[in-house]
Amino acid sequence: MRKSILFVLVSGALLFSCRPDSSTVDPFNYVQVKDTTVSNGAVASAHPLASAAGAYILRKGGNAVDAAIATQFALAVVFPEAGNIGGGGFTVIRLKDGTNITIDYREKAPGKAFRDMYLDSAGNPLLNLSQDGHLASGVPGAVAGMFAALKYGTMKIDKLIQPAIDLAEKGFAITASEARGLNRHKEDFLKYNTVVPAFVREDREWQEGDTLIQTDLANTLKRIKEEGAKGFYEGETAKLIVEEMERGGGIISYDDLKNYEAKEREPILFDYKGYEILTMPLPSSGGIIVEQMLKTSKMFNLDQMKFNSAEAVNLMAEIERRSFADRGKYLGDPDFYKVPVKALVNEDYLKERMADFVPGKAGNSKDIKEGFIPESEETTHYSVIDKDGNAVSTTTTINGGYGSRVVVGHAGFLMNNEMDDFSVKPGVPNMFGAVGQEANAVQANKRMLSSMTPTIILKDGKPWAILGTPGGTTIITSVYQTIVDLIDFKMSAHDAVNKPKFHHQWLPDVLYLEKGFDENVQKSLEAMGYTIKPRGAIGRTEVILVNDDGTITAVADRRGDDSAAGY
Ligand code: GLY
């Protein structure tokens, strides 16, 4: 099924009409494509222009890695809320020859970071410092990540980055939700910046269809095009970042930038009911936790239960509760902390963890105070496949919506507020309500724990589904549920993406149900003893599924401006 949503521009009532899977990328004339089925290759991402940039590269003969790089740079321009070069992420790649690769370009704590840097003299957490402004930023990894991926591509960076340069230089029409986001953050952009960024409109509020031009960002992208990763981590861009930090009280130094390295990690690969799940290892907590959840699910008759029934949600929420308890205690950057990975995914251990599960009854997560979960949890995901069966799954982030809200003066890109993903103090919840301990304490040059879970499901040794989502800690539960929906509940990709999701993360001891959840099921869950809280959207999942006949269905989430493209 293919569904196109047409935008109507407020000013001049100009209709966006062109199809994003054509070979040109028209930034003033585009549609959101929620589902598309194609024969050769596809991209699903958070923005139609980013998906179109990736699909354009596929048409030009690039492989999935080339297309992913073009998508990443385009997202940095057209989706400033979460697309980025000032953040970091994880990429999972399956090459057509069967090689599995995972690239970690998570941000790092700056060299001057230290354990109690977000505590006052009485030991109270100062979460505004880990979440807002210059001190909230880790050393960005995204550009290093793209160059680490480039060796698996077939095209040169100048071709892959050009769509992003054009979009930044010549501008594009913003969507209604982007206009709302920019307007909502105007005060923050003025408060946290020493140079007024392009995101601030002085004369009036942003409206759908307004043109956003980002000249400074275009120049930064051109330096990356000319000089490679050095065009970001050294020279003029590094100077602009360090000067911005000095003006605003941040601590990222020239050495932090120069020494940043993306790392290839040993992928997580395990069996789930005859499918192989290929996903991201530490410093993503997502891969280990999804492995725990799926292996535990296998011990119960989940596939005999009904999707989102009280019985299924009860079981899955109790699995989620226990896995998140482990996340808080044990997981952190493996370069700094010895994480008992094997023990955590051992099936006897997982069986033991469920010994106190009583079907039909809510468990409880006592003794640690409740965290709070804000609405904005902006990360972004894209999935790509090409005609040869190379597949890429990437989740990338600046953490909160518009990150630290600091735009590097004269360089035009937003910095992350990823330092908040460290545990600033044992037991104190971060912006996602997640608690951590020693394993994830702040330390110079350490990577903060992440929930990002880019994943590829293999069937008969070939990519079958490519998936992932933003959503802070809900990333892990959304990926878990999407896999179960596809494999156990045999859902279409469309339904697996769009049907309501739920979330339990141990602390706070709350079961979150997404809008649209069946009211009778909610009542049954309350009767079991769950404290239920409604949530707006959970995640923005992008799934690409390879059908039995070899065609490719790409589904972009209904919850945002997400869009699929292919040919
Ligand atoms: N910043 C969200 C995450 O990495 O989990």
Side-chain angles (χ1 to χ4, degrees):
M1 193 185 79
R2 180 190 165 109
K3 185 171 131 208
S4 296
I5 296 181
L6 297 181
F7 282 120
V8 179
L9 286 184
V10 176
S11 53
L14 170 65
L15 202 63
F16 288 150
S17 62
C18 108
R19 292 156 52 121
D21 53 358
S22 70
S23 58
T24 55
V25 182
D26 182 344
F28 299 99
N29 201 4
Y30 59 94
V31 294
Q32 288 176 26
V33 177
K34 293 300 183 188
D35 294 27
T36 188
T37 295
V38 294
S39 305
N40 292 293
V43 183
S45 84
H47 198 285
L49 293 173
S51 296
Y56 170 75
I57 293 298
L58 289 177
R59 277 182 176 273
K60 287 274 172 197
N63 72 5
V65 178
D66 296 316
I69 294 169
T71 304
Q72 170 84 26
F73 282 116
L75 280 169
V77 179
V78 297
F79 189 45
E81 203 171 334
N84 68 81
I85 54 173
F90 303 129
T91 289
V92 175
I93 302 173
R94 169 80 173 192
L95 293 178
K96 63 179 177 187
D97 67 3
T99 309
N100 300 322
I101 300 138
T102 66
I103 304 174
D104 158 15
Y105 44 100
R106 182 67 164 164
E107 300 92 325
K108 277 171 63 166
K112 292 198 191 97
F114 59 97
R115 187 193 159 99
D116 292 342
M117 65 185 280
Y118 300 114
L119 301 184
D120 67 14
S121 52
N124 301 311
L126 298 165
L127 295 183
N128 57 325
L129 295 184
S130 67
Q131 294 178 4
D132 310 316
H134 295 70
L135 217 48
S137 294
V139 184
V143 174
M146 292 305 101
F147 281 90
L150 191 63
K151 71 171 185 261
Y152 300 105
T154 60
M155 291 172 77
K156 295 233 155 47
I157 192 67
D158 56 341
K159 296 278 180 308
L160 305 180
I161 205 170
Q162 195 59 44
I165 293 174
D166 291 342
L167 287 162
E169 192 161 47
K170 296 174 192 152
F172 64 98
I174 62 170
T175 65
S177 71
E178 196 65 63
R180 279 195 300 276
L182 293 175
N183 291 332
R184 206 171 47 240
H185 288 83
K186 180 173 179 175
E187 247 178 61
D188 275 3
F189 289 140
L190 291 170
K191 181 171 168 188
Y192 295 116
N193 283 290
T194 51
V195 178
V196 180
F199 304 133
V200 173
R201 185 159 184 148
E202 308 275 12
D203 56 339
R204 63 163 168 79
E205 296 231 299
W206 289 100
Q207 292 172 2
E208 180 181 12
D210 282 345
T211 298
L212 176 61
I213 293 177
Q214 300 171 79
T215 310
D216 288 339
L217 177 57
N219 290 334
T220 299
L221 294 169
K222 283 181 196 170
R223 287 191 289 274
I224 296 169
K225 174 178 164 176
E226 298 303 328
E227 301 161 40
K230 285 189 177 174
F232 184 87
Y233 292 100
E234 297 180 38
E236 179 68 9
T237 312
K239 178 168 158 283
L240 293 172
I241 295 172
V242 172
E243 285 175 356
E244 180 62 55
M245 290 292 134
E246 284 168 356
R247 284 195 300 273
I251 52 174
I252 295 176
S253 68
Y254 286 108
D255 278 350
D256 288 332
L257 292 165
K258 198 171 168 189
N259 294 335
Y260 184 88
E261 276 180 352
K263 293 190 175 181
E264 286 196 15
R265 304 273 184 188
E266 188 63 35
I268 290 182
L269 187 70
F270 62 96
D271 170 80
Y272 183 63
K273 300 186 173 179
Y275 295 82
E276 286 173 284
I277 311 293
L278 170 63
T279 188
M280 193 68 209
L282 290 167
S284 165
S285 62
I288 290 176
I289 298 299
V290 165
E291 183 172 354
Q292 278 198 333
M293 290 173 177
L294 288 171
K295 282 183 166 171
T296 311
S297 299
K298 251 196 325 197
M299 298 169 191
F300 298 84
N301 294 326
L302 191 53
D303 50 2
Q304 309 295 309
M305 298 177 193
K306 204 167 146 261
F307 164 73
N308 275 2
S309 59
E311 187 188 20
V313 175
N314 171 222
L315 170 65
M316 293 170 77
E318 292 309 316
I319 292 171
E320 291 175 7
R321 180 199 304 278
R322 286 160 179 78
S323 287
F324 269 97
D326 281 356
R327 180 190 191 274
K329 174 75 183 162
Y330 296 114
L331 303 191
D333 183 346
D335 294 345
F336 283 74
Y337 192 86
K338 196 164 167 22
V339 179
V341 176
K342 280 206 175 106
L344 285 167
V345 296
N346 175 285
E347 302 206 2
D348 292 337
Y349 167 78
L350 294 171
K351 197 166 171 197
E352 181 58 31
R353 294 281 286 145
M354 291 300 279
D356 56 355
F357 167 59
V358 180
K361 199 162 178 286
N364 67 71
S365 314
K366 281 192 195 132
D367 300 335
I368 300 177
K369 68 178 180 175
E370 182 169 315
F372 98 101
I373 300 206
E375 286 192 1
S376 177
E377 35 191 44
E378 282 307 336
T379 292
T380 191
H381 177 84
Y382 51 90
S383 296
V384 187
I385 193 162
D386 66 24
K387 63 179 172 24
D388 297 319
N390 298 297
V392 177
S393 184
T394 294
T395 313
T396 177
T397 187
I398 41 177
N399 203 21
Y402 303 96
S404 63
R405 273 85 79 226
V406 173
V407 178
V408 175
H410 311 296
F413 62 89
L414 279 154
M415 290 294 287
N416 65 82
N417 58 346
E418 218 71 64
M419 292 297 281
D420 191 61
D421 269 349
F422 279 117
S423 171
V424 302
K425 183 179 178 181
V428 171
N430 72 1
M431 71 160 73
F432 305 115
V435 290
Q437 305 287 341
E438 198 53 40
N440 191 33
V442 184
Q443 202 177 329
N445 300 314
K446 183 178 176 183
R447 281 155 152 94
M448 56 294 286
L449 188 64
S450 172
S451 297
M452 293 185 289
T453 317
T455 296
I456 298 173
I457 306 177
L458 306 171
K459 187 180 172 190
D460 302 326
K462 294 201 171 121
W464 176 64
I466 304 146
L467 66 142
T469 179
T473 41
T474 70
I475 292 172
I476 304 175
T477 46
S478 292
V479 168
Y480 164 52
Q481 287 165 39
T482 305
I483 296 172
V484 164
D485 291 348
L486 291 170
I487 295 178
D488 290 274
F489 299 125
K490 311 222 169 341
M491 271 186 190
S492 66
H494 175 87
D495 285 351
V497 167
N498 291 306
K499 292 265 187 193
K501 295 194 165 59
F502 58 91
H503 175 68
H504 199 300
Q505 61 176 48
W506 179 51
L507 292 174
D509 192 350
V510 167
L511 179 60
Y512 296 94
L513 299 186
E514 193 177 10
K515 202 166 153 235
F517 225 88
D518 186 305
E519 280 179 23
N520 290 325
V521 173
Q522 176 167 338
K523 284 192 189 120
S524 303
L525 290 164
E526 273 161 349
M528 289 178 185
Y530 285 101
T531 303
I532 306 273
K533 282 199 182 161
R535 292 269 306 233
I538 296 187
R540 285 169 68 167
T541 305
E542 324 291 0
V543 170
I544 291 180
L545 195 78
V546 179
N547 302 305
D548 288 346
D549 65 2
T551 58
I552 297 159
T553 295
V555 180
D557 200 306
R558 65 171 164 86
R559 296 169 181 85
D561 292 332
D562 310 45
S563 195
Y567 74 107

